[in-house]
Amino acid sequence: MKNLGQMMKQAQQMQSKMAEMQAALEQTEVTGQAAGGMVSIVMTAKGEPKRVKIDPSLVNPAEVEVLEDLISAALRDARGKADAYISEEMGKVTGGLPLPPGFKLPF
């Protein structure tokens, strides 16, 4: 029973740390860029877009598809950075506890 009590205590601590991490994800911003920074997107680590910046030289009505591709690339870059941040923070919360493949927290 002693081990069960310790496990429950650890689970409660992990739950508390997860709540703290969730709050931090809402405040943490990541920036994705494309075209050498000519297109940048700032979003929270939870994926909420905050700002989009586009260099005016890219705005050409004849090349809208290029701009659309660059925005998509910047979004993918930002999402990749957010995912990396989440993985790093989850490692801290779980204390290196191995999670099953494909098991994603906190989402």
Side-chain angles (χ1 to χ4, degrees):
M1 274 304 196
K2 184 177 179 183
N3 285 341
L4 181 60
Q6 286 178 322
M7 286 177 54
M8 291 299 290
K9 185 176 180 179
Q10 286 176 333
Q12 288 174 336
Q13 289 172 343
M14 187 182 295
Q15 185 177 20
S16 174
K17 288 179 183 178
M18 285 292 294
E20 291 172 14
M21 189 180 104
Q22 286 287 341
L25 292 177
E26 292 175 4
Q27 302 300 316
T28 301
E29 292 184 350
V30 294
T31 302
Q33 296 184 342
M38 294 178 78
V39 175
S40 67
I41 295 177
V42 177
M43 59 191 264
T44 67
K46 285 194 90 164
E48 179 184 337
K50 292 292 192 175
R51 293 181 296 284
V52 175
K53 284 183 129 182
I54 300 171
D55 187 292
S57 68
L58 292 175
V59 181
N60 180 347
E63 297 182 1
V64 171
E65 288 180 9
V66 172
L67 184 55
E68 291 169 345
D69 290 344
L70 291 173
I71 292 170
S72 292
L75 276 169
R76 282 190 302 275
D77 185 45
R79 184 73 255 168
K81 289 177 181 177
D83 288 345
Y85 175 80
I86 290 168
S87 292
E88 182 180 322
E89 293 301 305
M90 280 305 298
K92 293 176 187 175
V93 170
T94 62
L97 176 71
L99 297 175
F103 192 80
K104 289 194 164 224
L105 291 174
F107 306 108

